[in-house]
Amino acid sequence: MSFKKTIGKLHLWLGLSTGLIVFIVSITGAMYVFKEEIQGIIRKEYIYHHEPNIAQKHTLPLRKIEALVNQQTHERYPLHWVEIPLNKAQSYKFVYHESNKNGWNYFDRLVIYKTAYVNPFTGKVLAVFDEKNGFFNIVKFIHWSLLLRNDWGKYIVGIPVLIFIISLISGIILWWPKNKSAAKQRFGFSWKNVKNWRRKNYDLHNVLGFYASFFALIIAMTGIFYSFFAVKALIYFTFSGGQTKYPDFSNYKTSAPIEQRSAQTIDRISQQVEQRFPNAYGYRIDLGQEHLDDHKHENLSVFVKELSYSYHKNHNLIFDENSGKLLYVHKHQDKNLGEKAIAANYDVHVGSIFGIWSKILAFVVSLICASLPVSGFLIWWGSRKKKNVTSSKKQILTEPVTH
């Protein structure tokens, strides 16, 4: 058996064995790409609070706003974190988020996930959105783990995607033309005299698959980053120039006595963040309450997002949770290339790394990836039927004629 025939059989087996999950993961990925843009349109009325004369006003203390939000929403769980934009014309986002460690699926594991859009000058809740039961979050977790517990759901998705990567490579090998004459037929469609839909389907699978394959490999690799720690370690090792240990900041710990903590501590932290990064898009602060997941804080880490459309350019500040003292600043420009690659992984995966144009590319590639299992199955099914017809004709020709 020739090398290409062996690769062809491998490609067929890989495609048939993982096709359904690859289709689901690809189509949900395409659905999720424009989440921010769609939600920005739907929630525009609440993203901006429309408070007049804000230049002459001060935002309320964060603990005061937190109390007002709880009074208006009447939720049984405490607020988990707040997302604060530097543009004070925008609303603050206060988030309720609790998870059940023993839940075996998405709906059992995620107890509550709600976002409250709040006017920071009055504390008025403008709207509350149930993210847990929202379209995009459900799509995200179908894509992530098929709505199963993440501990093992990520492998149920990750293993087929890993196989899909091998299938993409084998597909490129099969596509590769033997000579220049054959190459002309591989880069486009020649359907002028072709009426057979099977031939058109075959060309769609090959041509679209080829054009999408290189981008699909990047999207798939950045996807299994979340399933397999080894992939994350390999990316860090490669881009950091051979370093094997990721920077650890756990030595910066809250050491001040809890008696130093007051309602104003979190505002002092907020002021320091805004003074250091006045041109950032926004930042996120954990409100420090007890939660179902029993997460213990060694310190208070604040995540600063530099750009509105992307997470890859970010900074981290570490504070003493009790005194509000700044312990360490880890700026984007001070990170090694491995850290930057890890930070950019999500944006590369969803296509937001270069803004709207890279999102459009990710959307198109995801749709093509979703079509490949379908067109591949039709090729297999057509060849199967053709073999059955051929074998039937041979049987008729070889049967003795009886009278």
Side-chain angles (χ1 to χ4, degrees):
M1 187 181 291
S2 69
F3 173 71
K4 277 213 170 183
K5 280 189 176 180
T6 303
I7 293 296
K9 286 195 172 185
L10 174 66
H11 184 75
L12 174 63
W13 180 84
L14 294 175
L16 291 174
S17 63
T18 62
L20 179 59
I21 290 180
V22 169
F23 173 80
I24 292 170
V25 170
S26 299
I27 206 71
T28 51
M31 290 178 183
Y32 193 78
V33 166
F34 295 111
K35 173 206 166 191
E36 298 298 332
E37 287 75 12
I38 294 170
Q39 282 193 345
I41 294 169
I42 294 171
R43 302 182 182 184
K44 185 176 181 181
E45 184 182 350
Y46 312 111
I47 292 172
Y48 293 89
H49 51 70
H50 308 293
E51 179 72 17
N53 304 317
I54 59 173
Q56 287 79 44
K57 296 178 181 179
H58 295 285
T59 57
L60 295 174
L62 286 170
R63 292 299 180 195
K64 175 67 174 175
I65 304 175
E66 180 185 10
L68 289 170
V69 172
N70 284 324
Q71 288 172 19
Q72 293 170 79
T73 58
H74 305 289
E75 290 292 345
R76 57 181 291 197
Y77 300 102
L79 284 159
H80 202 143
W81 68 79
V82 57
E83 295 177 17
I84 302 174
L86 269 291
N87 178 3
K88 297 309 174 186
Q90 290 185 302
S91 304
Y92 285 13
K93 290 165 64 177
F94 281 80
V95 178
Y96 293 97
H97 189 282
E98 298 290 343
S99 58
N100 171 20
K101 293 186 292 184
N102 299 317
W104 70 272
N105 63 56
Y106 168 79
F107 294 101
D108 285 341
R109 193 167 179 80
L110 192 55
V111 177
I112 184 174
Y113 182 18
K114 292 184 178 181
T115 301
Y117 287 81
V118 184
N119 182 332
F121 296 94
T122 64
K124 181 182 178 182
V125 175
L126 305 175
V128 177
F129 290 92
D130 183 358
E131 312 289 8
K132 173 183 174 178
N133 297 304
F135 173 78
F136 283 110
N137 215 55
I138 291 174
V139 164
K140 175 183 175 180
F141 280 90
I142 293 173
H143 181 80
W144 186 285
S145 62
L146 298 183
L147 294 180
L148 299 172
R149 180 187 176 94
N150 188 54
D151 296 4
W152 36 276
K154 65 181 181 180
Y155 296 118
I156 293 175
V157 168
I159 291 170
V161 174
L162 183 60
I163 294 171
F164 177 62
I165 290 171
I166 301 170
S167 180
L168 284 170
I169 296 169
S170 64
I172 293 169
I173 294 170
L174 288 172
W175 174 91
W176 207 263
K178 293 179 180 179
N179 50 52
K180 289 182 179 180
S181 177
K184 292 179 181 179
Q185 299 175 353
R186 301 292 174 92
F187 287 102
F189 306 110
S190 301
W191 289 347
K192 188 175 181 180
N193 299 314
V194 177
K195 295 181 179 179
N196 190 324
W197 70 268
R198 288 193 180 92
R199 177 65 197 185
K200 290 181 178 180
N201 178 70
Y202 181 84
D203 288 346
L204 282 169
H205 185 82
N206 281 308
V207 176
L208 292 181
F210 169 74
Y211 283 121
S213 58
F214 297 100
F215 298 107
L217 280 169
I218 295 170
I219 292 174
M221 282 295 295
T222 53
I224 60 172
F225 170 98
Y226 298 104
S227 296
F228 305 103
F229 175 78
V231 175
K232 182 176 181 179
L234 178 62
I235 289 173
Y236 181 73
F237 178 83
T238 302
F239 284 93
S240 66
Q243 293 187 40
T244 57
K245 189 176 180 182
Y246 198 77
D248 179 21
F249 305 107
S250 60
N251 57 308
Y252 296 99
K253 297 182 180 181
T254 293
S255 57
I258 197 168
E259 289 77 19
Q260 287 192 23
R261 191 190 303 182
S262 67
Q264 289 74 44
T265 302
I266 195 169
D267 292 301
R268 289 199 298 271
I269 291 170
S270 176
Q271 288 166 11
Q272 291 177 75
V273 174
E274 296 192 16
Q275 286 169 3
R276 284 185 173 266
F277 299 100
N279 298 316
Y281 173 73
Y283 56 100
R284 168 176 158 171
I285 298 182
D286 192 295
L287 293 167
Q289 310 293 0
E290 290 186 11
H291 298 284
L292 295 177
D293 57 8
D294 296 324
H295 179 64
K296 298 290 188 296
H297 288 218
E298 292 180 330
N299 51 50
L300 182 66
S301 179
V302 177
F303 177 86
V304 179
K305 186 181 178 187
E306 189 71 25
L307 305 169
S308 62
Y309 61 87
S310 177
Y311 289 89
H312 77 277
K313 191 173 182 181
N314 64 72
H315 319 282
N316 298 92
L317 297 90
I318 299 174
F319 293 89
D320 186 300
E321 194 167 11
N322 293 333
S323 68
K325 179 183 177 182
L326 180 61
L327 303 177
Y328 187 75
V329 180
H330 195 40
K331 295 181 181 179
H332 171 78
Q333 54 266 38
D334 296 334
K335 297 176 181 179
N336 65 47
L337 194 57
E339 291 176 89
K340 290 178 180 178
I342 297 297
N345 188 84
Y346 173 81
D347 295 312
V348 173
H349 185 64
V350 301
S352 62
I353 188 74
F354 298 121
I356 191 65
W357 294 109
S358 54
K359 281 196 168 191
I360 292 171
L361 177 62
F363 175 75
V364 172
V365 171
S366 296
L367 287 181
I368 293 174
C369 287
S371 76
L372 292 177
V374 178
S375 57
F377 175 80
L378 291 173
I379 291 169
W380 170 78
W381 186 259
S383 64
R384 183 172 169 272
K385 288 183 72 176
K386 190 176 180 181
K387 283 179 182 177
N388 289 338
V389 170
T390 304
S391 61
S392 297
K393 285 182 178 178
K394 284 182 178 179
Q395 187 177 358
I396 291 169
L397 290 171
T398 55
E399 282 179 356
V401 178
T402 57
H403 297 280

